[in-house]
Amino acid sequence: MKQAELTVLLCLIWAATLLYGEMFAYWRPSLSSCSWPQLNRTSSSTADPDYVKVAVITDPQLMDRTSLPLPPKSLALELAQFFTDLYMRRAFHQSVLPLRPDVIFFLGDYFDGGPYLSDEEWSESLSRLRHIFSLRLRDRYLNIPVYYLPGNHDIGYGSLHSRKAQAIRRYEKEFGSRNYRFTVGKVEFIAIDAQTIDGNPQGVLASSTRDFIKNVSMDVQVYPRVLLTHIPLYRRDWTDCGPNRNSEIINQRILRSAGSQEVLYQNYITEESSNYLLDSIKPVLVLSGHDHDQCHVIHKSKKGPVGEYTVGTVSWQQGNLYPSFMLLSTSNFVPSNASSSEEAILTHLCFLPMQTHIYLWYLSLFVFTLVSLLLWPSSGVSVWHHCSDFMGIVKQVIGNIRSRTKEKIEDLNCEYEMIWDAEGSMHLVKKALGTPIAHSSERNSVESRGNAVMRPTARKNTSQDIEASVNGDTDADSVVDPMAKLLPRASRSLTKTMIRRLVRTLRMVMIIAAVNIPLYVMLLFKDWIDQ
C-alpha cells in the first residue's frame, strides 16, 4: 500500500469514527436496545391503545460558575458547558424523541447552582435548558405534555429556603407548583417536593407539603398511584441496587443546622418520612433521581412490597459514565387490582452513549494515525525491507567491532624482537609470550641465527620502537577500517530520513484534518442549531 492510499484509508476511518461518535451512537438506544415494555391486555375494549408511553429524565444539572473551579465566562468553562449541553441535546433529540413518547417527566435538578445564581445567571441557564430540550418550541411539541419536579439544586434544602426565598419563587413561576397530582392513562402520579418533607414541621413549606400528602391520602384511590420524588426514599446502608448500578452504594447521610434543625444536606428521605409517604399515598411504584446512578430497591409498606427505581443522570459530566433515561408503559385501561403494579405500569431502563469512551477512542485513533504515517515506508517499499536493511547495517558494525577487538587481544598476547641481518638492517619479529625469555648470560653474548645477528646494545630502545611500530600499525588500520566512515554516514542518513518522515507526516495530517475537521464542525452545529 502506498502512502497516498494510506492517507485515504485514514481519512475514511476518521470520517466513519466521527459519524458514529457524533451521530450514530445516539441512534442506537432508539433503534435496538430501547423499546417500550409491553403490557398484558386484560380489557376487552379495543378503542384505545393498550398503554401510554412515558419518558423519564432526571438530573441534567446544567454546568455553571459553581460547577468547576474556573473563572466565570472563561473559555474552559464555556467549552465544558457547550459539550455537556450538546450531549444532552443529542440524547434528547436522537435517542428519546425518536421513540415517540406521549408524556415526558423531569425529576429535578435542572441547574447545578440554582439557588446561588443571580437572576441574570438563572435566566441564562434557563435559556440553555429550553434550548437543550426544545422547551421553547412548544408549538412543535404541543402533543407531548411535560411534567416537572423540583430538585435540591433548583431550590435548595430547607436551610436555604428562608435565606433564598427567590429561588422558590422563580422556580414556581417557570415550572409551576412543587406539589401536585395528575393522571396519565389510568395511572395517577403524585409529585412532591422532597426537599421540604424532612424540614421543620413548623415551617410553611414543610407543612404545605405534608398537607398535600394528607389530602391525597384521604381521597378515594381509583387508579394505581406512582410516587414521584427527587430524593430517593430511605434504604438501609449498603442495600443492593441491582445489576444496573455502576458506582459504589451511597449510604444515608443527613446534616441539619444547629439552630433551626433544618436540613443542610441529605442523600435519602428519612426512614420516618419514607414510611409516612408509603402508608399515606399507597403507591405501586416510586420514581426518584438525585443519586445520579441507577438503583432498584424494594420497600416494605403496610400494603406490601413497593419497588423504587432511581433513574441515573442524563448528563455525562455528573459522575456517571453511563447516563440513562427510563421508559414507562402506563396502563390505558382500569386494572382489576388497583394495588398491583404488574397490570398498571411497566419500566425499561435505557442507556445513552458513553461520551468519555468516545473521546478516548478519538485520542487513540490520533496516536495510531501519527504512528502509522511516521513508520509507513515510502514508494511502496515494505516495512520489512527497511527493517532488514537496518539490521544488516547493525550486523556489519558489530562484526567490525569484533574483528578489531580480536586483533588487539592478539597484540596484547605477544612481544616484538628486533633482529639485525648481516647488512645491519633491523626487523621486528612478533613472538608469543609463551616463548622462553633468554637469561642474562645469554643476552650478553652475541647469538648467530643464520645470517642474522642480534645485538644487545639495541635492547634499551626496544620498548620505544615497539610502541612507535604499534601506533603506526594502528593508524594504518584506521585508514583501512570501514567502520570509521560507516557510523557517521549512517547517522547522517538516519537524520535525513527522520526529517523527511516528519515533514511527510505533517503534510498527511494536514490533509486528513482538512477533510475531517469541517465534517466534525458540521456535525456539532447540525445538532446544536434549531431546525
Side-chain angles (χ1 to χ4, degrees), residues 75 80 97 99 160 207 234 248-249 296 321 353 385 463 500:
L75 178 61
L97 286 185
L99 293 168
L160 278 179
S207 59
Y234 174 82
E248 293 184 358
I249 302 298
H296 179 220
L321 294 178
H385 179 73
S463 61
R500 286 197 301 267

Side-chain angles (χ1 to χ4, degrees), residues 8 23 39 64 77 79 88 134 138 206 225 228 233 255-256 261 340 364 381 403 485 511:
V8 173
M23 182 184 296
L39 289 166
D64 51 45
L77 181 59
L79 288 175
M88 291 187 287
S134 296
R138 297 188 183 276
R225 288 173 176 170
L228 303 179
L233 300 187
L255 303 176
R256 295 183 182 271
Q261 289 298 304
S340 174
S364 302
V381 182
S403 63
K485 294 183 179 181
I511 293 174

Side-chain angles (χ1 to χ4, degrees), residues 180-181 188-190 192 208-223 225 227 275-283 302-303:
Y180 62 101
R181 58 202 294 185
E188 185 179 20
F189 290 85
I190 311 298
I192 66 165
S208 64
T209 299
R210 288 184 173 268
D211 289 342
F212 169 77
I213 297 170
K214 182 179 179 180
N215 292 332
V216 171
S217 66
M218 295 175 62
D219 292 341
V220 177
Q221 184 173 349
V222 179
Y223 299 145
R225 288 173 176 170
L227 174 62
N275 292 332
Y276 171 71
L277 289 171
L278 292 174
D279 296 339
S280 300
I281 297 177
K282 302 178 181 64
K302 294 179 179 180
K303 292 295 183 180

Side-chain angles (χ1 to χ4, degrees), residues 413-461:
N413 294 330
C414 66
E415 65 177 3
Y416 291 85
E417 183 179 5
M418 292 186 298
I419 302 297
W420 279 262
D421 57 17
E423 298 178 357
S425 299
M426 187 274 291
H427 302 277
L428 287 177
V429 178
K430 185 185 296 185
K431 297 178 64 179
L433 288 178
T435 304
I437 302 175
H439 295 286
S440 57
S441 59
E442 295 175 347
R443 290 198 299 266
N444 293 332
S445 62
V446 178
E447 182 180 353
S448 299
R449 297 182 181 178
N451 295 329
V453 180
M454 183 175 181
R455 298 181 180 179
T457 56
R459 289 284 186 181
K460 60 183 180 179
N461 296 326

Side-chain angles (χ1 to χ4, degrees), residues 115-116 152 155-164 193-201 203 205-206 210 231 252-271 273 290:
Y116 303 98
N152 59 289
I155 63 174
Y157 293 103
S159 61
L160 278 179
H161 293 162
S162 59
R163 295 183 288 114
K164 300 286 185 180
D193 179 5
Q195 287 69 232
T196 60
I197 189 66
D198 286 320
N200 189 339
L205 297 178
R210 288 184 173 268
I231 301 177
Q252 173 67 297
R253 181 165 67 95
I254 182 168
L255 303 176
R256 295 183 182 271
S257 60
S260 62
Q261 289 298 304
E262 288 286 6
V263 175
L264 294 171
Y265 179 84
Q266 63 183 143
N267 291 329
Y268 307 120
I269 296 175
T270 60
E271 184 176 8
S273 298
H290 185 62

Side-chain angles (χ1 to χ4, degrees), residues 14-15 18-19 22-23 82-83 86 90 362 512-529:
W14 269 103
L18 293 177
L19 287 172
E22 307 300 320
M23 182 184 296
F82 173 77
F83 283 100
L86 179 63
R90 283 172 169 168
Y362 288 168
I512 295 174
V515 174
N516 288 280
I517 287 181
L519 174 63
Y520 180 67
V521 173
M522 181 189 70
L523 292 173
L524 288 183
F525 289 97
K526 174 189 74 68
D527 295 321
W528 186 248
I529 299 174

Side-chain angles (χ1 to χ4, degrees), residues 141-178:
Y141 303 117
L142 274 178
N143 60 332
I144 305 181
V146 181
Y147 296 93
Y148 302 94
L149 199 65
N152 59 289
H153 281 271
D154 303 319
I155 63 174
Y157 293 103
S159 61
L160 278 179
H161 293 162
S162 59
R163 295 183 288 114
K164 300 286 185 180
Q166 75 275 11
I168 295 180
R169 287 196 300 267
R170 63 192 181 189
Y171 173 86
E172 292 181 333
K173 181 180 179 180
E174 176 63 28
F175 299 102
S177 177
R178 296 172 292 107

